[in-house]
Amino acid sequence: MTATYRNPVLNADWSDPDVIRVGEDFYLTVSTFTKVPGLPILHSRDLVNWTIIGHAVTGGYDDVRPGCGVWAPSLRHHGGRFWIFYGDPDVGICWVGAQDPRGPWSEPHVVKPGLGLIDPCPLWDDDGQAYLVHGWAKSRAGVNNRLTMHRMAPDGSAVLDEGTLVIDADLLPGYRTLEGPKLYKRDGVYWIFAPAGGVEQGWQSVFRSESVFGPYEDRIVLEQGGTDVNGPHQGGWVDTPSGGHWFMHFQDRGPYGRVVHLQPMRWNGGWPVMGADGEPVPGGPVPVPGGEPGEPAVSDDFAGPGLGLQWSWQANPDPSWWELRDGRLRLACVPGPEDLRERPSVLGQRLPGDPCTVTTSLTLEGEGRAGLAVVGFTAASVGLERTGDKTVLVCGDMEPVPVEDGGPVTVGARVGAGALVTFLADTGEGPREIGEPFQATQGRWVGAVLGLYAAGSGAGQAIFDAFTVDIER
């Protein structure tokens, strides 16, 4: 362990983060759109070293719907219970709850139905009243760049009024796409932390008022300035047991997704000051010294009893798709769309933000095709294809290479700077580069994923040995 940290502290697609402290423990969750399971729960003791401890949502859609599902969440602890409020732009504002952050979590409850309702955040006030603020998605609601406040039943069962427009950013010079609000109260003052300007080139603002319904005055508190941290975009404010203040936010990095930065924060003249006088810092002292080292898992030895918590499906999985047995992952060669971007049965995880090499050993039994893929707006893969008793190694437009007895064959990918992917294979003569280099691309508000897949009529199966990710730092 070192006494300093380097940004980003979560260097992969941990989008729209929100963070809280409960005692000496920190918890973080992020948006997952239509990935299943969704809403991962991460735990830390120092805000720098994080591990995945579970998921709050276990179901989703039966088909792949890019950009739908679970949008930006807010994580809170109230009344001895953990709450996550999130917007599904096609359903409304929902929440799930749990006594233990590791689960089990309740089924989603819709607190306000409607189209285009996104980015909700609750606040339970000192007098027992509860409030809920949210933003708007123009794609469904026809409006955005505004925040609406509701009174809410303290048990979260429903909103209690039609809502009050508390911030109309169309009236603020230079503002566009105000979203992602987080609602707080400090020393009798109500605060809304919210980004604007878009995820790639925007900034972080805060709004303060002596009344939860406003009027609010605003100030930009974090922007790119002379740094290379574009955005910087939405996140959450958290304190430490010793009284320090910190802000965690994301930076959009294209094919790598939305990586998470940690900024020191202090109060000056009644306003928060983030980073180095309003610009992102490259790193600094660890907020809570002495924490345990840790990072979200990437490799998986498939020893079970379940899949590693880093994995997710592109839509609701069928239990018949997969099995862990004898330290191997077995994927059934099931029917589905030929396009991997549309196939629910792709098992994926986040693309690391640092250069890395990914390898796994693959055997194909029976007819079908299977392999390792990189999936975003575009997709490419390396793997095996078997018809009758003939098995070949395939990768893009290259000429198929015969493989004896269906494998095993080691397949892999080297992901270099800028997320340029070079596929690898070892058919017994040592690993070599195959196919043409592939430029990984982001998906619909998500980064590219590393995926394993198996496709066919259902008769065959793919057997994967340990999935290994070696990250270069």
Short mmCIF file of all heavy atoms in Angstrom, two decimals, residues 345-375:
data_model
loop_
_atom_site.label_atom_id
_atom_site.label_comp_id
_atom_site.label_asym_id
_atom_site.label_seq_id
_atom_site.Cartn_x
_atom_site.Cartn_y
_atom_site.Cartn_z
N SER A 345 -26.97 -13.65 -25.28
CA SER A 345 -26.14 -14.64 -24.61
C SER A 345 -24.64 -14.34 -24.66
O SER A 345 -23.83 -15.23 -24.40
CB SER A 345 -26.39 -16.03 -25.20
OG SER A 345 -26.13 -16.05 -26.60
N VAL A 346 -24.26 -13.11 -24.98
CA VAL A 346 -22.85 -12.73 -24.85
C VAL A 346 -22.57 -12.41 -23.37
O VAL A 346 -23.25 -11.59 -22.76
CB VAL A 346 -22.50 -11.51 -25.72
CG1 VAL A 346 -21.08 -11.02 -25.43
CG2 VAL A 346 -22.65 -11.87 -27.20
N LEU A 347 -21.58 -13.09 -22.81
CA LEU A 347 -21.17 -12.88 -21.43
C LEU A 347 -20.00 -11.91 -21.44
O LEU A 347 -18.94 -12.23 -21.98
CB LEU A 347 -20.78 -14.21 -20.79
CG LEU A 347 -20.30 -14.17 -19.34
CD1 LEU A 347 -21.44 -13.74 -18.41
CD2 LEU A 347 -19.77 -15.54 -18.93
N GLY A 348 -20.17 -10.73 -20.84
CA GLY A 348 -19.16 -9.70 -21.00
C GLY A 348 -18.72 -9.06 -19.70
O GLY A 348 -19.34 -9.21 -18.65
N GLN A 349 -17.61 -8.34 -19.79
CA GLN A 349 -17.13 -7.52 -18.68
C GLN A 349 -16.47 -6.28 -19.26
O GLN A 349 -16.19 -6.17 -20.45
CB GLN A 349 -16.15 -8.28 -17.80
CG GLN A 349 -14.89 -8.75 -18.47
CD GLN A 349 -13.86 -9.24 -17.45
OE1 GLN A 349 -13.15 -8.44 -16.84
NE2 GLN A 349 -13.79 -10.55 -17.27
N ARG A 350 -16.22 -5.30 -18.38
CA ARG A 350 -15.72 -4.00 -18.80
C ARG A 350 -14.31 -4.10 -19.39
O ARG A 350 -13.47 -4.84 -18.89
CB ARG A 350 -15.72 -3.05 -17.60
CG ARG A 350 -17.10 -2.73 -17.09
CD ARG A 350 -17.07 -2.15 -15.69
NE ARG A 350 -18.43 -1.86 -15.22
CZ ARG A 350 -19.21 -2.77 -14.66
NH1 ARG A 350 -18.78 -4.02 -14.46
NH2 ARG A 350 -20.44 -2.44 -14.26
N LEU A 351 -14.07 -3.30 -20.42
CA LEU A 351 -12.74 -3.22 -21.02
C LEU A 351 -11.84 -2.40 -20.10
O LEU A 351 -12.17 -1.26 -19.76
CB LEU A 351 -12.84 -2.54 -22.39
CG LEU A 351 -11.56 -2.42 -23.20
CD1 LEU A 351 -11.15 -3.78 -23.73
CD2 LEU A 351 -11.77 -1.44 -24.36
N PRO A 352 -10.70 -2.95 -19.65
CA PRO A 352 -9.80 -2.15 -18.79
C PRO A 352 -9.33 -0.88 -19.49
O PRO A 352 -9.12 -0.86 -20.70
CB PRO A 352 -8.63 -3.11 -18.53
CG PRO A 352 -9.21 -4.47 -18.71
CD PRO A 352 -10.21 -4.31 -19.82
N GLY A 353 -9.16 0.17 -18.71
CA GLY A 353 -8.72 1.44 -19.26
C GLY A 353 -7.24 1.53 -19.54
O GLY A 353 -6.77 2.46 -20.19
N ASP A 354 -6.46 0.57 -19.04
CA ASP A 354 -5.03 0.48 -19.34
C ASP A 354 -4.81 -0.60 -20.39
O ASP A 354 -5.62 -1.53 -20.52
CB ASP A 354 -4.25 0.12 -18.07
CG ASP A 354 -4.19 1.25 -17.07
OD1 ASP A 354 -3.80 2.37 -17.46
OD2 ASP A 354 -4.54 1.02 -15.89
N PRO A 355 -3.70 -0.53 -21.15
CA PRO A 355 -3.38 -1.62 -22.07
C PRO A 355 -3.37 -2.96 -21.34
O PRO A 355 -2.96 -3.05 -20.18
CB PRO A 355 -2.00 -1.24 -22.58
CG PRO A 355 -1.95 0.25 -22.47
CD PRO A 355 -2.71 0.57 -21.22
N CYS A 356 -3.82 -3.99 -22.02
CA CYS A 356 -3.91 -5.30 -21.39
C CYS A 356 -3.84 -6.41 -22.43
O CYS A 356 -4.01 -6.16 -23.63
CB CYS A 356 -5.21 -5.42 -20.58
SG CYS A 356 -6.71 -5.40 -21.59
N THR A 357 -3.60 -7.62 -21.96
CA THR A 357 -3.65 -8.81 -22.79
C THR A 357 -4.62 -9.80 -22.16
O THR A 357 -4.51 -10.10 -20.96
CB THR A 357 -2.26 -9.45 -22.94
OG1 THR A 357 -1.36 -8.51 -23.54
CG2 THR A 357 -2.34 -10.69 -23.82
N VAL A 358 -5.55 -10.29 -22.95
CA VAL A 358 -6.60 -11.19 -22.49
C VAL A 358 -6.41 -12.53 -23.17
O VAL A 358 -6.21 -12.59 -24.38
CB VAL A 358 -8.00 -10.63 -22.84
CG1 VAL A 358 -9.09 -11.52 -22.27
CG2 VAL A 358 -8.14 -9.20 -22.35
N THR A 359 -6.46 -13.63 -22.40
CA THR A 359 -6.33 -14.96 -23.00
C THR A 359 -7.30 -15.93 -22.34
O THR A 359 -7.64 -15.79 -21.16
CB THR A 359 -4.91 -15.52 -22.86
OG1 THR A 359 -4.52 -15.49 -21.48
CG2 THR A 359 -3.92 -14.71 -23.67
N THR A 360 -7.72 -16.92 -23.09
CA THR A 360 -8.49 -18.04 -22.58
C THR A 360 -8.29 -19.22 -23.51
O THR A 360 -7.95 -19.04 -24.68
CB THR A 360 -9.99 -17.70 -22.45
OG1 THR A 360 -10.68 -18.78 -21.80
CG2 THR A 360 -10.61 -17.45 -23.81
N SER A 361 -8.48 -20.42 -22.99
CA SER A 361 -8.36 -21.63 -23.80
C SER A 361 -9.76 -22.11 -24.14
O SER A 361 -10.63 -22.20 -23.28
CB SER A 361 -7.60 -22.71 -23.02
OG SER A 361 -7.47 -23.88 -23.80
N LEU A 362 -9.96 -22.45 -25.41
CA LEU A 362 -11.29 -22.77 -25.93
C LEU A 362 -11.30 -24.13 -26.61
O LEU A 362 -10.43 -24.42 -27.45
CB LEU A 362 -11.73 -21.67 -26.91
CG LEU A 362 -12.94 -21.95 -27.80
CD1 LEU A 362 -14.20 -22.13 -26.96
CD2 LEU A 362 -13.12 -20.79 -28.80
N THR A 363 -12.29 -24.95 -26.25
CA THR A 363 -12.56 -26.21 -26.94
C THR A 363 -14.00 -26.18 -27.42
O THR A 363 -14.90 -25.77 -26.67
CB THR A 363 -12.36 -27.41 -26.01
OG1 THR A 363 -11.04 -27.41 -25.50
CG2 THR A 363 -12.62 -28.72 -26.75
N LEU A 364 -14.24 -26.60 -28.64
CA LEU A 364 -15.59 -26.61 -29.20
C LEU A 364 -16.03 -28.05 -29.42
O LEU A 364 -15.40 -28.80 -30.17
CB LEU A 364 -15.61 -25.83 -30.52
CG LEU A 364 -16.98 -25.54 -31.15
CD1 LEU A 364 -17.89 -24.81 -30.18
CD2 LEU A 364 -16.80 -24.74 -32.44
N GLU A 365 -17.09 -28.45 -28.74
CA GLU A 365 -17.65 -29.79 -28.87
C GLU A 365 -18.98 -29.71 -29.60
O GLU A 365 -19.88 -29.00 -29.17
CB GLU A 365 -17.85 -30.42 -27.49
CG GLU A 365 -16.56 -30.66 -26.72
CD GLU A 365 -16.80 -31.34 -25.39
OE1 GLU A 365 -17.98 -31.38 -24.94
OE2 GLU A 365 -15.83 -31.84 -24.79
N GLY A 366 -19.11 -30.44 -30.70
CA GLY A 366 -20.32 -30.38 -31.49
C GLY A 366 -20.31 -29.16 -32.40
O GLY A 366 -19.39 -28.33 -32.39
N GLU A 367 -21.36 -29.03 -33.20
CA GLU A 367 -21.41 -27.95 -34.18
C GLU A 367 -21.74 -26.61 -33.55
O GLU A 367 -22.50 -26.53 -32.58
CB GLU A 367 -22.43 -28.28 -35.27
CG GLU A 367 -22.01 -29.45 -36.15
CD GLU A 367 -22.85 -29.55 -37.40
OE1 GLU A 367 -23.89 -28.86 -37.50
OE2 GLU A 367 -22.46 -30.31 -38.31
N GLY A 368 -21.17 -25.58 -34.12
CA GLY A 368 -21.43 -24.22 -33.66
C GLY A 368 -20.20 -23.37 -33.82
O GLY A 368 -19.23 -23.75 -34.50
N ARG A 369 -20.23 -22.21 -33.21
CA ARG A 369 -19.07 -21.33 -33.22
C ARG A 369 -19.00 -20.63 -31.87
O ARG A 369 -20.03 -20.42 -31.21
CB ARG A 369 -19.16 -20.30 -34.36
CG ARG A 369 -20.38 -19.40 -34.33
CD ARG A 369 -20.45 -18.53 -35.58
NE ARG A 369 -21.67 -17.71 -35.58
CZ ARG A 369 -21.77 -16.50 -35.04
NH1 ARG A 369 -20.71 -15.96 -34.47
NH2 ARG A 369 -22.90 -15.84 -35.10
N ALA A 370 -17.80 -20.27 -31.46
CA ALA A 370 -17.61 -19.67 -30.15
C ALA A 370 -16.28 -18.94 -30.12
O ALA A 370 -15.39 -19.20 -30.95
CB ALA A 370 -17.64 -20.74 -29.06
N GLY A 371 -16.16 -18.02 -29.16
CA GLY A 371 -14.89 -17.32 -29.07
C GLY A 371 -14.89 -16.16 -28.11
O GLY A 371 -15.78 -16.01 -27.26
N LEU A 372 -13.87 -15.35 -28.30
CA LEU A 372 -13.63 -14.12 -27.51
C LEU A 372 -13.96 -12.94 -28.40
O LEU A 372 -13.50 -12.87 -29.54
CB LEU A 372 -12.17 -14.08 -27.07
CG LEU A 372 -11.66 -12.75 -26.49
CD1 LEU A 372 -12.29 -12.49 -25.13
CD2 LEU A 372 -10.14 -12.79 -26.38
N ALA A 373 -14.75 -12.00 -27.89
CA ALA A 373 -15.19 -10.86 -28.69
C ALA A 373 -14.93 -9.55 -27.96
O ALA A 373 -14.81 -9.50 -26.74
CB ALA A 373 -16.67 -10.99 -29.01
N VAL A 374 -14.85 -8.48 -28.74
CA VAL A 374 -14.85 -7.11 -28.22
C VAL A 374 -16.06 -6.43 -28.87
O VAL A 374 -16.16 -6.37 -30.09
CB VAL A 374 -13.55 -6.37 -28.58
CG1 VAL A 374 -13.59 -4.94 -28.05
CG2 VAL A 374 -12.34 -7.12 -28.02
N VAL A 375 -16.98 -5.94 -28.01
CA VAL A 375 -18.28 -5.49 -28.51
C VAL A 375 -18.57 -4.07 -28.05
O VAL A 375 -18.49 -3.76 -26.85
CB VAL A 375 -19.41 -6.42 -28.03
CG1 VAL A 375 -20.76 -5.98 -28.60
CG2 VAL A 375 -19.13 -7.87 -28.42
#
